[in-house]
Amino acid sequence: MLLFLAFLIGIVAGLRAMTAPAAVAWGAALGWFDVSQTPLAFMGYRWTPWVLTLLAAVELITDQLPATPSRKVPMQFGARIIMGALAGAMIGAPGGSLIAGLVAGIVGAVVGTLGGAAIRAKLAAAFGKDLPAALIEDVVAIGGALLIVGAVP
């Protein structure tokens, strides 16, 4: 179950890179799962979720700008993979599956990046503009992250 959740949080990172680590940091900081005895303990520190939430909010705003590059360019794709790895490892860590969670998060981030781009393009074409598709993607990423983090045992 943890690896499936790590995969799913990776998909969220593929949709919105900073939403996934912000969500898992809140889960750790609120004591929903314990990573205090792992190399990822810093994610549960008092200020970590606040900083990541600020970065996630900035990402949500900048994603709506027309000059924002595609999520499939190397820099954007790489960031999503790294954040998916981090978030996946966070979910796997409480069960002793840090590395497996990291790998599942990477796979999920690749799926989320490519699949999210394709679905958003189809939605944008259906709406005749990108903004509604982007906002739907925001809701899916945030809602999904909350559901996933809430489901971690």
Side-chain angles (χ1 to χ4, degrees), residues 13 17 21 74-89 102 105-106 109:
M75 183 70 83
Q76 298 281 342
F77 206 133
R80 291 165 195 273
I81 289 171
I82 291 167
M83 293 301 115
L86 174 62
L102 181 142
I106 289 172

Side-chain angles (χ1 to χ4, degrees), residues 28-102:
L30 294 172
W32 294 356
F33 49 89
D34 183 22
V35 293
S36 64
Q37 302 303 312
T38 73
L40 300 173
F42 71 95
M43 290 292 284
Y45 292 173
R46 179 182 312 170
W47 295 105
T48 305
W50 292 101
V51 170
L52 292 173
T53 298
L54 176 64
L55 293 172
V58 169
E59 179 186 24
L60 291 173
I61 294 165
T62 59
D63 181 67
Q64 312 306 320
L65 302 175
T68 302
S70 166
R71 72 183 80 200
K72 296 187 285 184
V73 299
M75 183 70 83
Q76 298 281 342
F77 206 133
R80 291 165 195 273
I81 289 171
I82 291 167
M83 293 301 115
L86 174 62
M90 282 284 296
I91 288 181
S97 300
L98 189 140
I99 299 298
L102 181 142

